[in-house]
Amino acid sequence: MFGRHVKAAMMSVGLATVLAGTLAAPSAHAAPSAAAAECGVRAHDGRLWCGNRGDAPTRIDPFHESPFNGLLKSTFSYFTCWSTGGLHGGGNTTWYRTVPDWISEGREGYVPADWVFTPSWFDADPSRYGLRHC
């Protein structure tokens, strides 16, 4: 019986290691192609760094009905926080806030999670993985 508990604990540690590696933050010296393949919250700044669709419009509020306030042209970006908003094509209501590459309103904007290359389990509770709620 003791052996089963040890084995279960080892499997849990192994799974946690795999999941942590999936969201490992790229190092500051990572090659651009390697960085674009990674997605995670960096401990030094608390931001989510992740690949995203290029030419993503950002909105003032986390809803499709909200006016545009910018455009995220880059395909690897940082996101400062997350918010619950309108349902989007990803089937959830998670939106990520970022500083757009082109800004009309002079402030951060929201992008729906389906435009950011985060896994659905991350979108379910980004705070669990270190990203603050807006």
Side-chain angles (χ1 to χ4, degrees), residues 48 62 79-85 93-98 110-111 122-134:
L48 168 64
F79 301 88
T80 57
C81 60
W82 71 278
S83 184
T84 302
T93 57
T94 300
W95 290 64
Y96 295 103
R97 192 167 75 188
T98 189
Y110 289 92
V111 176
F122 183 91
D123 295 338
D125 185 6
S127 293
R128 180 177 184 187
Y129 304 99
L131 187 63
R132 73 179 179 87
H133 191 270
C134 300

Side-chain angles (χ1 to χ4, degrees), residues 48-117:
L48 168 64
W49 290 82
C50 198
N52 56 273
R53 292 187 196 179
D55 291 327
T58 60
R59 298 184 181 271
I60 294 172
D61 295 307
F63 300 94
H64 284 295
E65 300 80 16
S66 179
F68 295 116
N69 75 329
L71 188 64
L72 188 59
K73 306 263 318 155
S74 58
T75 57
F76 186 76
S77 307
Y78 71 84
F79 301 88
T80 57
C81 60
W82 71 278
S83 184
T84 302
L87 183 65
H88 53 72
N92 64 57
T93 57
T94 300
W95 290 64
Y96 295 103
R97 192 167 75 188
T98 189
V99 176
D101 299 312
W102 173 84
I103 304 171
S104 67
E105 297 290 323
R107 65 182 204 190
E108 293 182 331
Y110 289 92
V111 176
D114 63 329
W115 282 63
V116 181
F117 302 147

Side-chain angles (χ1 to χ4, degrees), residues 9-32:
M10 289 174 57
M11 288 177 62
S12 295
V13 169
L15 179 59
T17 302
V18 168
L19 290 177
T22 302
L23 282 176
S27 72
H29 303 292

